[in-house]
C-alpha cells in the first residue's frame, strides 16, 4: 500500500479542503507503536491498544477512483462503503468498542487490540488516526444469536451491523450471545454479571431476548425482563426493550400470523406481547422489532424475503444474512432516532 509522508499528505489535504491528519500519530497506551498508518497494510490495520472505546479517523482515496468500507474486530460493520473520486480524499470517522472476548461473550478471546479490515469495490486508505474516545456514548446490546457478533459467514446479527449506522461519538458494546434465554443470560457470569458493572449513567442498554425462552413460563419471563430493566436503572443506565425479530414462517395466505413466526412458545407465552406489557408497566422505551420485521417480511413475500434470512444457504428461517441483519439494524437505527434515544447528529442516514 502506498505510504503518504507528511508533506505529501498535507498538500493533498489542503488541496481538498480537509483537515490535516497527522502522519506521526499519538502513541499507544504504555507502548511504542504509533496509532496511525504505519500499523496498516493494503487491506487491514492492527493497533495494540487495551480494551475501551476508540475514535477512528480515516482519510480515504487514492490516485484512482476508490470505494472503501471498514469492518472491525469480529466482522462488525463500522463504516459503509464510501466512494472517493480519483485524486480526491474523503474524511470519515467512527467510534469502536474494543473488548475481550472481541465477539460473543462466551466465545474465544480473539486477537488483542483493535483490528480493522478494509473492503469495498476498490479500497484505498490514505491515512488513519486512532485515539481513545473520551466522551463516547455507550450502547450495550443484550440479546441472542439474532443480535450477536456472529463469528463467520454467512451469519450476522443485527447488532453486528448497527455500528455502521452510527457516527463518531457512539460506541456499541455488543454483549449478545448465541443460544441465550432470559434465564441463562442472567445466570451466566460472563453475561449479565459482566455487562451490568460497565453501565454508566445515561448509557443505553437494548434488550432483545426471546428466541431461546422456549420453555420459560410467562411469570418467569416477565420477572427476568423486569430484573434486567431494574439492573440497568440501578447503574443509572437507560433500558430499551426490543421485541424479537420474526421467524420467516409463512401461512398459506402469505402472512406470518402463527406461533412459530411470532415467537409464541410451547407453553403459549407470547413473548412480544409480554415485552410490550413490561415496557408499558415500567415506562421503558420500546422498539417493536417484531411488528416492524413482520411488516417488512410480509411486504416482500415468500420469495424475496429469503434474502433477509439464511434460507438459500442453510434453509434457516431464524438467523439473518448480512443483508438481512443490515436491514434490521436500519430499523433499530430509525427507532433510536425517532424516539430521540440517540441524537440525530450521531446517526448515519441512508
Amino acid at each position: 500500500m502506498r505510504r503518504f509522508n507528511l508533506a505529501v499528505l498535507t498538500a493533498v489535504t489542503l488541496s481538498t479542503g480537509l483537515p490535516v491528519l497527522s502522519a506521526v500519530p499519538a502513541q499507544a497506551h504504555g507502548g511504542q507503536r504509533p496509532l496511525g498508518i504505519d500499523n496498516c497494510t493494503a487491506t487491514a490495520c492492527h493497533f495494540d491498544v487495551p480494551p475501551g472505546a476508540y475514535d477512528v479517523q480515516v482519510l480515504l482515496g487514492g490516485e484512482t477512483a476508490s470505494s472503501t468500507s471498514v469492518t472491525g474486530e469480529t466482522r462488525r460493520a463500522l463504516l459503509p462503503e464510501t466512494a472517493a473520486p480519483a485524486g480526491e480524499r474523503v474524511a470519515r470517522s467512527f467510534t469502536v468498542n474494543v473488548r475481550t472476548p472481541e465477539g460473543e461473550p462466551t466465545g474465544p478471546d480473539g486477537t488483542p487490540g483493535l483490528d480493522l479490515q478494509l473492503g469495498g469495490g476498490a479500497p484505498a486508505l490514505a491515512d488513519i488516526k486512532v485515539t481513545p474516545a473520551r466522551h463516547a456514548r455507550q450502547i450495550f446490546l443484550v440479546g441472542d444469536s439474532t443480535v450477536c457478533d456472529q463469528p463467520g459467514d454467512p451469519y450476522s446479527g443485527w447488532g453486528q451491523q448497527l455500528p455502521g449506522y452510527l457516527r463518531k461519538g457512539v460506541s456499541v458494546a455488543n454483549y449478545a450471545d448465541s443460544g441465550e434465554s432470559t434465564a441463562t443470560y442472567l445466570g451466566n457470569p460472563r453475561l449479565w454479571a459482566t455487562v451490568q458493572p460497565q453501565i454508566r449513567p445515561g448509557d443505553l442498554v437494548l434488550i432483545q431476548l426471546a428466541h431461546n425462552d422456549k420453555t420459560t413460563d410467562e411469570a418467569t419471563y416477565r420477572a427476568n425482563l423486569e430484573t434486567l430493566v431494574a439492573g440497568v436503572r440501578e447503574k443509572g443506565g437507560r433500558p430499551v426493550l426490543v421485541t424479537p425479530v420474526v421467524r420467516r414462517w409463512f401461512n398459506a395466505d402469505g402472512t406470518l400470523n402463527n406461533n412459530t413466526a411470532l415467537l409464541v412458545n410451547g407453553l403459549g407465552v407470547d413473548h412480544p406481547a409480554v415485552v410490550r406489557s413490561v415496557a408499558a408497566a415500567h415506562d421503558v422505551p420500546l422498539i417493536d422489532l417484531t411488528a416492524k420485521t413482520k411488516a417488512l417480511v410480509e411486504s416482500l413475500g415468500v420469495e424475496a424475503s429469503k434474502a433477509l434470512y439464511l434460507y438459500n444457504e442453510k434453509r434457516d428461517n431464524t438467523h439473518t444474512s448480512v443483508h438481512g441483519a443490515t436491514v434490521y439494524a436500519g430499523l433499530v437505527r430509525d427507532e433510536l432516532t425517532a424516539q430521540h434515544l440517540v441524537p440525530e447528529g450521531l446517526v448515519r442516514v441512508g
Side-chain angles (χ1 to χ4, degrees), residues 223-245:
N224 289 343
L225 292 176
E226 290 172 338
T227 297
L228 290 165
V229 167
V232 174
R233 286 177 166 166
E234 178 185 326
K235 305 296 289 186
R238 296 185 294 162
V240 179
L241 288 173
V242 184
T243 59
V245 299

Side-chain angles (χ1 to χ4, degrees), residues 288-329:
D288 198 341
L289 205 52
T290 304
K292 291 185 174 299
T293 54
K294 178 180 184 292
L296 176 60
V297 171
E298 288 180 341
S299 71
L300 290 173
V302 173
E303 290 302 317
S305 64
K306 290 178 180 178
L308 295 172
Y309 292 83
L310 294 176
Y311 180 86
N312 293 325
E313 299 87 352
K314 302 284 186 179
R315 295 297 188 268
D316 186 334
N317 290 309
T318 297
H319 297 96
T320 48
S321 62
V322 172
H323 168 64
T326 303
V327 171
Y328 287 178

Side-chain angles (χ1 to χ4, degrees), residues 13-247:
T13 303
L14 291 176
S15 69
T16 57
L18 298 174
V20 176
L21 299 180
S22 171
V24 187
Q27 298 297 307
H29 293 269
Q32 299 301 314
R33 296 185 67 186
L35 302 179
I37 195 72
D38 288 341
N39 295 77
C40 302
T41 68
T43 58
C45 302
H46 174 77
F47 302 94
D48 288 326
V49 295
Y54 293 88
D55 290 332
V56 180
Q57 295 174 274
V58 294
L59 194 64
L60 306 175
E63 297 174 357
T64 60
S66 64
S67 185
T68 309
S69 62
V70 182
T71 57
E73 300 294 85
T74 304
R75 303 174 59 238
R76 288 183 231 155
L78 297 171
L79 185 70
E81 192 158 352
T82 303
E88 296 187 20
R89 304 293 181 266
V90 174
R92 292 290 186 269
S93 59
F94 52 86
T95 300
V96 59
N97 171 260
V98 176
R99 61 182 182 273
T100 302
E102 68 178 24
E104 293 183 84
T106 62
D109 284 353
T111 305
L114 171 60
D115 287 286
L116 302 176
Q117 294 79 42
L118 306 176
L125 177 67
D127 197 27
I128 187 169
K129 182 179 180 182
V130 176
T131 56
R134 301 297 185 188
H135 305 290
R137 298 168 183 261
Q138 292 190 108
I139 299 178
F140 289 93
L141 303 182
V142 169
D144 53 34
S145 58
T146 65
V147 185
C148 75
D149 287 350
Q150 290 280 0
D153 283 327
Y155 294 88
S156 181
W158 62 255
Q160 199 164 20
Q161 302 303 319
L162 184 61
Y165 285 111
L166 301 171
R167 299 183 185 276
K168 175 184 173 183
V170 184
S171 171
V172 176
N174 190 351
Y175 280 85
D177 197 69
S178 293
E180 305 300 341
S181 66
T182 54
T184 61
Y185 201 95
L186 285 166
N188 190 325
R190 301 183 72 178
L191 298 173
W192 183 237
T194 297
V195 174
Q196 192 195 19
Q198 299 182 62
I199 299 171
R200 306 177 308 198
D203 288 345
L204 287 181
V205 183
L206 275 58
I207 301 165
Q208 186 217 279
L209 287 166
H211 279 271
N212 300 300
D213 280 276
K214 298 174 183 176
T215 59
T216 308
D217 63 78
E218 182 169 337
T220 302
Y221 183 63
R222 179 182 297 273
N224 289 343
L225 292 176
E226 290 172 338
T227 297
L228 290 165
V229 167
V232 174
R233 286 177 166 166
E234 178 185 326
K235 305 296 289 186
R238 296 185 294 162
V240 179
L241 288 173
V242 184
T243 59
V245 299
V246 295
R247 293 191 178 98

